[in-house]
């Protein structure tokens, strides 16, 4: 089997890593399946379920988030933009998406100042509809970097303990 793409999607208020979303979205687009078509949501859930576990209680949240994600994809492709799966690279020989080093933003503490977006040049953050920062690409965060947390005045940006990185000894 070919290596599948990996995409982070916010399901509800939590990030979820999904395999094969780019390939699925490309197939749907090539089949002329629009985001507004009545069967698009069902096709997306069936397609994503081939390589990912979707808890029964979260299917509605997944469906809603993935239709929104496909809608963005569809708009960009319709505008002539091409897509390529993101290669997150590796750290110490481990695939980046296997290392759970990334920020989380406390919506309760975030004051929507945007300093984290200004500071981080890697595309980890975006603004949510309410103007607050959210993590959209956690695996673009540089492993062991937590500098954005220092510019956050209300201390809304949290990272795992650095000690967890000790488990990742260099391979090779």
């Amino acid at each position: 089997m070919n290596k599948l793409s990996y995409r982070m999607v916010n399901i509800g208020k939590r990030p979820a890593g999904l395999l094969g979303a780019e390939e699925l979205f490309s197939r749907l687009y090539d089949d002329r399946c629009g985001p507004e078509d009545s069967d698009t949501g069902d096709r997306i859930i069936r397609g994503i379920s081939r390589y990912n576990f979707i808890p029964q209680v979260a299917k509605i949240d997944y469906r809603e988030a993935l239709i929104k994600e496909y809608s963005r994809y569809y708009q960009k492709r319709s505008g002539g933009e091409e897509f390529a799966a993101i290669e997150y690279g590796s750290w110490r020989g481990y695939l980046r998406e296997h290392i759970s080093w990334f920020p989380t933003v406390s919506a309760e503490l975030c004051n929507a100042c945007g300093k984290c977006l200004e500071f981080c040049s890697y595309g980890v953050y975006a603004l949510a509809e309410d103007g607050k920062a959210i993590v959209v690409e956690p695996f673009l965060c540089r492993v062991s970097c937590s500098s954005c947390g220092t510019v956050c005045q209300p201390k809304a940006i949290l990272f795992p303990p650095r000690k967890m990185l000790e488990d990742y000894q260099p391979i090779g």
Side-chain angles (χ1 to χ4, degrees), residues 151-162:
V151 300
C152 180
Q153 291 293 318
K155 304 295 181 213
I157 299 174
L158 308 169
F159 282 89
R162 266 187 211 282

Side-chain angles (χ1 to χ4, degrees), residues 7-27:
R7 179 189 276 239
M8 291 300 294
V9 177
N10 284 318
I11 308 294
K13 294 191 181 228
R14 302 196 185 284
L18 299 174
L19 292 172
E22 301 300 325
E23 294 84 353
L24 172 63
F25 291 169
S26 180
R27 276 193 312 276

Side-chain angles (χ1 to χ4, degrees), residues 77-122:
R77 280 279 306 266
S78 297
E81 243 182 270
E82 287 298 317
F83 279 86
I86 296 174
E87 283 291 330
Y88 294 107
S90 63
W91 185 73
R92 294 186 175 176
Y94 296 89
L95 290 175
R96 177 61 183 95
E97 54 263 40
H98 293 178
I99 304 168
S100 58
W101 179 270
F102 50 81
T104 56
V105 177
S106 168
E108 292 79 27
L109 295 176
C110 180
N111 64 4
C113 71
K115 288 184 180 174
C116 54
L117 277 87
E118 292 171 20
F119 183 84
C120 179
S121 61
Y122 298 113

Side-chain angles (χ1 to χ4, degrees), residues 1-159:
M1 175 168 69
N2 293 335
K3 183 181 176 200
L4 293 171
S5 65
Y6 187 87
R7 179 189 276 239
M8 291 300 294
V9 177
N10 284 318
I11 308 294
K13 294 191 181 228
R14 302 196 185 284
L18 299 174
L19 292 172
E22 301 300 325
E23 294 84 353
L24 172 63
F25 291 169
S26 180
R27 276 193 312 276
L28 290 171
Y29 185 85
D30 291 345
D31 290 347
R32 301 184 198 285
C33 180
E36 306 298 324
D37 294 353
S38 61
D39 66 336
T40 299
D42 292 337
R43 290 181 68 180
I44 288 174
I45 291 298
R46 276 194 313 273
I48 285 295
S49 295
R50 289 183 62 198
Y51 303 107
N52 304 276
F53 173 72
I54 300 177
Q56 188 65 33
V57 298
K59 278 198 177 180
I60 292 171
D61 290 339
Y62 270 79
R63 179 188 173 101
E64 185 177 295
L66 288 167
I67 288 174
K68 187 183 288 185
E69 201 68 20
Y70 178 59
S71 184
R72 281 190 215 110
Y73 175 93
Y74 189 89
Q75 292 295 331
K76 288 182 178 181
R77 280 279 306 266
S78 297
E81 243 182 270
E82 287 298 317
F83 279 86
I86 296 174
E87 283 291 330
Y88 294 107
S90 63
W91 185 73
R92 294 186 175 176
Y94 296 89
L95 290 175
R96 177 61 183 95
E97 54 263 40
H98 293 178
I99 304 168
S100 58
W101 179 270
F102 50 81
T104 56
V105 177
S106 168
E108 292 79 27
L109 295 176
C110 180
N111 64 4
C113 71
K115 288 184 180 174
C116 54
L117 277 87
E118 292 171 20
F119 183 84
C120 179
S121 61
Y122 298 113
V124 173
Y125 301 101
L127 292 178
E129 291 174 10
D130 63 2
K132 294 184 178 188
I134 57 171
V135 176
V136 292
E137 281 292 349
F139 297 121
L140 290 179
C141 180
R142 298 305 182 244
V143 176
S144 83
C145 179
S146 59
S147 298
C148 57
T150 63
V151 300
C152 180
Q153 291 293 318
K155 304 295 181 213
I157 299 174
L158 308 169
F159 282 89

